[in-house]
Amino acid sequence: MNSVSDQDWTTSEKYPGVRWKFLVDEDYNGSKGLSCGFAEIEPGGNLTLHHHAPDEIYVVTNGSGTLNKSGKLEEIKKGDVVYIAGNAKHALQNTGEEVLGFYWVFPTNKFKDVEYISDE
Protein backbone atom coordinates (compact mmCIF):
# COMPACT_ATOMS: atom_id res chain seq x y z
CA MET A 1 0.00 0.00 0.00
CA ASN A 2 1.40 3.40 -0.99
CA SER A 3 0.91 6.66 0.80
CA VAL A 4 1.55 10.25 -0.21
CA SER A 5 4.27 10.31 2.45
CA ASP A 6 6.12 7.44 0.71
CA GLN A 7 6.98 9.51 -2.36
CA ASP A 8 9.16 12.57 -2.97
CA TRP A 9 7.55 15.74 -4.33
CA THR A 10 8.14 16.60 -8.00
CA THR A 11 7.95 20.15 -9.42
CA SER A 12 8.35 21.84 -12.79
CA GLU A 13 8.94 25.45 -13.81
CA LYS A 14 6.13 24.96 -16.35
CA TYR A 15 3.63 24.79 -13.46
CA PRO A 16 4.44 27.50 -10.89
CA GLY A 17 3.39 26.70 -7.33
CA VAL A 18 2.44 23.09 -8.21
CA ARG A 19 3.98 19.91 -6.81
CA TRP A 20 2.94 16.25 -7.10
CA LYS A 21 3.58 12.67 -6.03
CA PHE A 22 2.86 9.34 -7.73
CA LEU A 23 0.81 6.76 -5.81
CA VAL A 24 -0.49 4.11 -8.21
CA ASP A 25 1.78 3.65 -11.20
CA GLU A 26 3.32 0.72 -13.05
CA ASP A 27 6.79 2.16 -12.40
CA TYR A 28 6.21 2.18 -8.61
CA ASN A 29 3.94 -0.75 -7.83
CA GLY A 30 3.24 -2.67 -11.05
CA SER A 31 -0.33 -1.40 -11.50
CA LYS A 32 -2.15 -2.03 -14.77
CA GLY A 33 -4.88 0.11 -16.31
CA LEU A 34 -4.90 2.95 -13.76
CA SER A 35 -2.44 5.51 -12.50
CA CYS A 36 -3.04 7.93 -9.66
CA GLY A 37 -1.17 10.68 -7.90
CA PHE A 38 -1.62 13.54 -5.49
CA ALA A 39 -0.96 17.21 -6.30
CA GLU A 40 -0.87 20.44 -4.34
CA ILE A 41 -1.18 23.96 -5.71
CA GLU A 42 -0.04 26.82 -3.48
CA PRO A 43 -2.26 29.93 -3.25
CA GLY A 44 -1.82 31.79 -6.55
CA GLY A 45 -0.23 28.71 -8.16
CA ASN A 46 -1.35 27.54 -11.57
CA LEU A 47 -1.51 24.23 -13.42
CA THR A 48 -1.42 26.06 -16.76
CA LEU A 49 -3.63 25.32 -19.75
CA HIS A 50 -2.84 21.95 -21.32
CA HIS A 51 -4.43 18.82 -22.74
CA HIS A 52 -3.65 15.12 -23.09
CA ALA A 53 -5.27 12.14 -24.81
CA PRO A 54 -6.49 10.17 -21.75
CA ASP A 55 -9.54 11.12 -19.70
CA GLU A 56 -8.75 12.34 -16.19
CA ILE A 57 -10.47 12.61 -12.83
CA TYR A 58 -9.67 15.08 -10.03
CA VAL A 59 -10.78 14.38 -6.44
CA VAL A 60 -10.35 17.59 -4.44
CA THR A 61 -9.24 16.98 -0.84
CA ASN A 62 -8.67 20.54 0.39
CA GLY A 63 -8.74 24.14 -0.70
CA SER A 64 -10.48 25.76 -3.64
CA GLY A 65 -9.69 27.07 -7.08
CA THR A 66 -10.85 27.88 -10.57
CA LEU A 67 -10.94 25.12 -13.17
CA ASN A 68 -10.80 26.19 -16.80
CA LYS A 69 -12.29 23.30 -18.76
CA SER A 70 -12.47 23.96 -22.51
CA GLY A 71 -12.88 27.69 -21.83
CA LYS A 72 -15.65 27.26 -19.24
CA LEU A 73 -14.63 28.48 -15.77
CA GLU A 74 -15.87 26.52 -12.77
CA GLU A 75 -15.16 26.99 -9.06
CA ILE A 76 -14.07 23.76 -7.37
CA LYS A 77 -13.53 23.01 -3.68
CA LYS A 78 -12.87 20.29 -1.13
CA GLY A 79 -15.13 17.30 -1.75
CA ASP A 80 -15.62 17.91 -5.47
CA VAL A 81 -14.93 15.25 -8.09
CA VAL A 82 -14.19 16.51 -11.61
CA TYR A 83 -14.21 14.57 -14.89
CA ILE A 84 -12.08 15.90 -17.75
CA ALA A 85 -12.59 14.31 -21.17
CA GLY A 86 -9.59 13.24 -23.21
CA ASN A 87 -8.04 16.06 -25.26
CA ALA A 88 -10.11 18.72 -23.45
CA LYS A 89 -8.03 21.81 -22.75
CA HIS A 90 -7.91 22.48 -19.03
CA ALA A 91 -6.10 24.45 -16.33
CA LEU A 92 -6.44 24.75 -12.57
CA GLN A 93 -5.52 27.82 -10.54
CA ASN A 94 -5.58 28.10 -6.77
CA THR A 95 -7.66 31.21 -6.11
CA GLY A 96 -8.09 30.48 -2.41
CA GLU A 97 -6.01 31.22 0.67
CA GLU A 98 -4.99 27.63 1.49
CA VAL A 99 -3.25 24.89 -0.45
CA LEU A 100 -5.46 23.23 -3.08
CA GLY A 101 -4.92 19.47 -2.88
CA PHE A 102 -6.32 16.84 -5.21
CA TYR A 103 -5.85 13.27 -6.40
CA TRP A 104 -5.69 12.70 -10.15
CA VAL A 105 -6.56 9.45 -11.87
CA PHE A 106 -5.72 8.37 -15.44
CA PRO A 107 -6.79 5.19 -17.27
CA THR A 108 -3.12 4.45 -18.05
CA ASN A 109 -0.54 2.04 -16.69
CA LYS A 110 1.74 4.87 -15.70
CA PHE A 111 1.90 8.64 -15.61
CA LYS A 112 4.74 8.61 -18.15
CA ASP A 113 2.18 7.33 -20.71
CA VAL A 114 0.39 10.72 -20.55
CA GLU A 115 1.82 13.34 -22.92
CA TYR A 116 1.01 16.82 -21.56
CA ILE A 117 0.63 19.29 -24.43
CA SER A 118 0.79 22.97 -23.46
CA ASP A 119 -1.98 25.24 -24.74
CA GLU A 120 -0.50 28.46 -23.31
Side-chain angles (χ1 to χ4, degrees):
M1 180 153 165
N2 287 352
S3 159
V4 170
S5 62
D6 293 336
Q7 297 290 330
D8 292 327
W9 289 107
T10 301
T11 61
S12 170
E13 290 181 13
K14 285 175 62 174
Y15 305 112
V18 180
R19 64 185 192 161
W20 61 91
K21 294 183 177 193
F22 305 107
L23 300 175
V24 176
D25 192 286
E26 184 178 52
D27 288 341
Y28 295 99
N29 58 14
S31 65
K32 300 286 184 208
L34 288 175
S35 57
C36 173
F38 184 76
E40 291 185 338
I41 304 176
E42 294 293 327
N46 189 15
L47 181 58
T48 57
L49 193 65
H50 66 281
H51 70 278
H52 38 70
D55 295 353
E56 184 175 18
I57 295 173
Y58 291 161
V59 180
V60 183
T61 60
N62 54 286
S64 62
T66 302
L67 175 69
N68 176 345
K69 190 162 66 168
S70 298
K72 181 181 175 191
L73 300 181
E74 177 181 344
E75 296 303 311
I76 63 172
K77 64 187 179 321
K78 179 181 178 177
D80 288 348
V81 177
V82 178
Y83 167 74
I84 301 166
N87 290 311
K89 294 179 181 180
H90 57 287
L92 181 56
Q93 183 168 19
N94 183 341
T95 55
E97 296 181 11
E98 65 179 286
V99 171
L100 171 60
F102 62 98
Y103 290 95
W104 80 79
V105 179
F106 284 114
T108 61
N109 291 338
K110 51 190 167 183
F111 182 75
K112 287 183 196 172
D113 293 342
V114 181
E115 180 185 1
Y116 273 59
I117 301 166
S118 177
D119 292 305
E120 287 282 301

